[in-house]
């Protein structure tokens, strides 16, 4: 093992109640909102082919013109309670909200920069009404924060000269001040979701970032911080030089999902996902494949079946309203969650062999297994293999618990469960109540 001063400071999953709640959330909402929502992926009548929240980096976007969007930020249709209600109706149990994306525009009235809502026509704090609205809806809040800040004069992609070093020292102090400010102004926040930490300048700050993480955890005991925040002294990110996870959960699953339990290395993790291929901020022209609610429900079930959470992104428009396609998807997912959330909330890896019909989840500490079905076998028989000494006490449809299902042991510890779901067009859940084999 390599001796590390700034590697991971804990091996294995956190066992405290705050992290156990996070682990059981299953489904979350991501909100990407900021000045980039105003152009919505378009400038001077031309569409930007990249992700809308990165439009400032487009060579056809004059930087002063982008930076002046602060004077157009006046989201007259912003309604924090409506955003929280959409998340609630979808069945999300936590939300991750951008406080500051890479462009440096702060959705809170930070006293460490003038590039905030306070100096926009809107003037008012956006974060406080959002944190309060989601908290009132019973949805935990995680604050997204981009370390990379294109607006701050001290930011550097790398530190090559003494001048770079002096400038970056000022930037580090600014970053620390903003993070302490956020934790102080929004004490209800359960965690921080860091982004923009890939540049060499930040990767070289192992000691500073380690000490800053310790300061934040001391200020806010139980704070949840992912693997993306800091690198160890050898520049290793997400996993330190001894291959131990940095932070409390793995943040590497951005727009992708693990395929097997081996891929997650026994860690907590979340998958953050866009509805189109790759748009986090509002883009007027959603191009390419737009995921359906069934696809998104399958991704949620797959994530939970592998011990993670699925966090679906919404990109509100510049005026603060949510686009119709996003509202419709949230309602469709919510309709399914209202019937089937027992297979998602406080569930995790079942340990069972993957079968063709879909994904299995297991309620933590209760002998209940959920077979979340996406592919209906023409035989009507759903194969499941149980560990030795485990038998099926009872099986039924989660949507109709009076419909007890026929179970046949076809081989030792291998069963067929026979089910004919009422609807063949939507995923459904078969429940197995298990018992010790006599
Ligand atoms: C959560 C997501 N991370 C951000 C990014 C990125 C990125 C940066 C470099 C190369 C590829 C992707 C996106 O803008 C969004 O905030």
């Amino acid at each position: 093992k390599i001796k590390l001063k700034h590697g991971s400071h804990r091996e294995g999953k956190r066992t405290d109640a705050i992290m156990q709640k996070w682990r059981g959330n299953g489904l979350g909402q991501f909100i990407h909102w900021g000045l980039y929502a105003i152009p919505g992926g378009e400038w001077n009548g031309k569409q930007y082919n990249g992700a809308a929240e990165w439009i400032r980096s487009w060579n056809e976007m004059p930087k002063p013109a982008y930076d002046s969007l602060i004077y157009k930020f006046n989201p007259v249709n912003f309604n924090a309670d409506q955003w929280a209600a959409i998340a609630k109706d979808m069945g999300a149990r936590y939300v991750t909200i951008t406080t500051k994306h890479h462009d440096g525009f702060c959705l809170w009235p930070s006293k460490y920069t003038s590039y905030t809502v306070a100096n926009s026509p809107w003037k008012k704090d956006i974060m406080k009404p959002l944190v309060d609205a989601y908290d009132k809806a019973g949805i935990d809040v995680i604050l997204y924060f981009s370390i990379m800040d294109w607006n701050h004069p001290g930011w550097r992609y790398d530190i090559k000269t003494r001048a770079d070093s002096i400038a970056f020292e000022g930037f580090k102090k600014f970053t620390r001040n903003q993070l302490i400010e956020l934790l102080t102004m929004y004490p209800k926040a359960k965690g921080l979701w860091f982004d923009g930490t890939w540049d060499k300048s930040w990767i070289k700050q192992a000691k500073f970032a380690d000490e800053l993480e310790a300061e934040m955890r001391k200020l806010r005991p139980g704070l949840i911080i992912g693997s993306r925040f800091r690198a160890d002294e050898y520049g290793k990110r997400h996993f330190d030089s001894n291959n131990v996870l940095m932070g409390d959960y793995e943040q590497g699953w951005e727009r992708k999902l693990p395929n097997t339990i081996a891929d997650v290395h026994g860690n907590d993790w979340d998958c953050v996902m866009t509805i189109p291929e790759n748009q986090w901020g509002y883009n007027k022209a959603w191009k390419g494949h737009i995921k359906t609610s069934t696809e998104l429900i399958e991704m949620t079930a797959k994530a939970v079946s592998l011990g993670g959470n699925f966090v679906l992104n919404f990109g509100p428009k510049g005026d603060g309203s949510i686009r119709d396609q996003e509202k419709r998807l949230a309602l469709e997912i919510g309709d399914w969650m209202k019937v089937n959330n027992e297979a998602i909330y406080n569930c995790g890896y079942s340990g069972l062999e993957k079968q063709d019909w879909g994904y299995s989840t297991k309620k933590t500490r209760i002998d209940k297994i959920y077979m979340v079905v996406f592919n209906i076998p023409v035989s009507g028989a759903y194969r499941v293999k149980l560990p030795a000494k485990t038998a099926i006490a009872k099986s039924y449809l989660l949507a109709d618990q009076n419909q007890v299902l026929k179970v046949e042991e076809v081989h030792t510890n291998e069963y067929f469960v026979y089910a004919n779901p009422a609807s063949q067009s939507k995923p459904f859940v078969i429940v197995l109540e298990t018992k010790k084999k006599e």
Side-chain angles (χ1 to χ4, degrees):
K1 250 181 121 170
I2 300 166
K3 190 163 176 45
L4 292 172
K5 287 177 73 175
H6 305 300
S8 176
H9 298 304
R10 193 201 68 257
E11 289 202 47
K13 292 180 177 178
R14 270 177 51 175
T15 55
D16 58 287
I18 293 173
M19 197 68 201
Q20 284 175 358
K21 163 61 171 63
W22 182 94
R23 184 173 299 133
N25 282 338
L27 179 61
Q29 180 191 51
F30 213 142
I31 294 279
H32 271 75
W33 198 43
L35 298 182
Y36 41 77
I38 298 170
E42 191 184 287
W43 189 258
N44 272 350
K46 279 181 78 174
Q47 280 184 352
Y48 171 49
N49 287 330
E53 71 283 356
W54 275 71
I55 195 168
R56 188 182 185 278
S57 67
W58 186 23
N59 56 20
E60 308 217 10
M61 165 59 82
K63 306 304 171 247
Y66 181 92
D67 295 345
S68 303
L69 288 170
I70 182 173
Y71 305 115
K72 289 204 168 73
F73 186 77
N74 191 25
V76 292
N77 293 322
F78 170 61
N79 180 327
D81 288 320
Q82 190 217 26
W83 291 16
I86 288 169
K88 190 79 181 174
D89 289 349
M90 182 170 83
R93 299 218 310 180
Y94 70 126
V95 65
T96 301
I97 310 173
T98 49
T99 60
K100 177 179 86 169
H101 204 258
H102 311 328
D103 62 0
F105 179 67
C106 303
L107 289 182
W108 81 100
S110 173
K111 61 173 185 267
Y112 299 103
T113 172
S114 59
Y115 203 47
T116 82
V117 282
N119 298 308
S120 74
W122 184 253
K123 298 194 185 315
K124 300 181 288 290
D125 185 355
I126 289 282
M127 290 312 303
K128 175 114 180 46
L130 280 173
V131 171
D132 290 348
Y134 279 95
D135 185 60
K136 197 167 64 182
I139 297 173
D140 290 343
V141 176
I142 302 279
L143 303 178
Y144 168 109
F145 183 89
S146 174
I147 296 288
M148 179 168 73
D149 181 329
W150 296 328
N151 184 265
H152 192 281
W155 170 260
R156 294 291 185 277
Y157 290 101
D158 195 3
I159 298 165
K160 294 204 169 73
T161 66
R162 180 158 165 65
D164 285 345
S165 183
I166 293 166
F168 206 70
E169 283 309 306
F171 176 75
K172 286 158 60 177
K173 282 187 184 61
F174 160 78
T175 299
R176 180 251 170 220
N177 290 342
Q178 283 205 317
L179 287 167
I180 299 302
E181 181 180 53
L182 281 168
L183 293 177
T184 306
M185 289 179 72
Y186 312 108
K188 290 175 189 163
K190 296 290 184 302
L192 292 165
W193 203 95
F194 285 98
D195 203 2
T197 56
W198 46 76
D199 289 315
K200 287 182 185 156
S201 54
W202 183 255
I203 288 171
K204 288 173 179 172
Q205 308 305 324
K207 180 176 185 296
F208 172 79
D210 192 10
E211 289 169 355
L212 176 52
E213 180 172 317
E215 181 184 8
M216 292 190 286
R217 289 184 187 279
K218 187 161 182 271
L219 174 64
R220 187 74 59 242
L223 189 67
I224 297 171
I225 297 177
S227 62
R228 202 179 276 197
F229 176 50
R230 64 186 180 89
D232 74 7
E233 52 263 53
Y234 294 97
K236 295 285 280 154
R237 299 177 65 231
H238 292 286
F239 293 86
D240 71 13
S241 302
N242 293 314
N243 209 26
V244 180
L245 183 74
M246 301 284 273
D248 304 317
Y249 66 96
E250 192 193 346
Q251 278 184 273
W253 304 101
E254 180 171 317
R255 295 193 301 116
K256 60 189 182 194
L257 277 160
N259 266 316
T260 69
I261 197 65
D263 293 337
V264 302
H265 313 290
N267 296 309
D268 284 312
W269 58 278
D270 71 359
C271 163
V272 290
M273 185 59 71
T274 50
I275 294 172
E277 176 56 33
N278 183 17
Q279 294 296 332
W280 297 88
Y282 173 69
N283 191 318
K284 290 171 190 161
W286 263 4
K287 289 179 284 188
H289 178 66
I290 306 304
K291 298 171 188 76
T292 65
S293 53
T294 301
E295 281 179 87
L296 295 166
I297 291 164
E298 180 163 359
M299 291 179 182
T300 303
K302 181 172 184 180
V304 172
S305 78
L306 294 173
N309 289 332
F310 187 72
V311 184
L312 183 60
N313 182 71
F314 290 69
K317 297 181 187 175
D319 70 352
S321 63
I322 302 268
R323 72 195 304 156
D324 290 344
Q325 302 104 310
E326 290 180 348
K327 284 193 280 194
R328 190 182 65 249
L329 284 169
L331 283 173
E332 290 171 2
I333 294 166
D335 286 346
W336 187 85
M337 286 291 283
K338 282 180 181 64
V339 174
N340 301 287
N341 66 47
E342 185 182 325
I344 301 295
Y345 297 153
N346 301 316
C347 284
Y349 177 57
S350 69
L352 303 189
E353 182 184 287
K354 173 80 173 61
Q355 301 290 344
D356 293 340
W357 42 258
Y359 306 91
S360 63
T361 65
K362 183 181 178 310
K363 192 63 79 180
T364 31
R365 287 188 297 279
I366 297 174
D367 290 336
K368 265 187 174 182
I369 286 168
Y370 302 92
M371 299 163 61
V372 194
V373 176
F374 293 88
N375 310 305
I376 293 176
V378 288
S379 64
Y382 295 79
R383 179 193 306 273
V384 60
K385 289 183 183 172
L386 292 180
K389 300 194 177 53
T390 303
I392 297 172
K394 188 177 161 190
S395 179
Y396 48 87
L397 292 180
L398 183 55
D400 176 3
Q401 308 202 11
N402 299 322
Q403 208 186 114
V404 177
L405 303 178
K406 179 184 161 217
V407 173
E408 180 191 0
E409 186 165 11
V410 293
H411 303 292
T412 309
N413 295 326
E414 187 168 340
Y415 301 83
F416 278 172
V417 181
Y418 293 91
N420 287 307
S423 152
Q424 310 253 337
S425 65
K426 273 287 170 204
F428 66 95
V429 177
I430 295 170
V431 183
L432 302 181
E433 290 185 2
T434 59
K435 63 183 179 183
K436 286 273 169 277
K437 218 171 197 174
E438 277 85 42

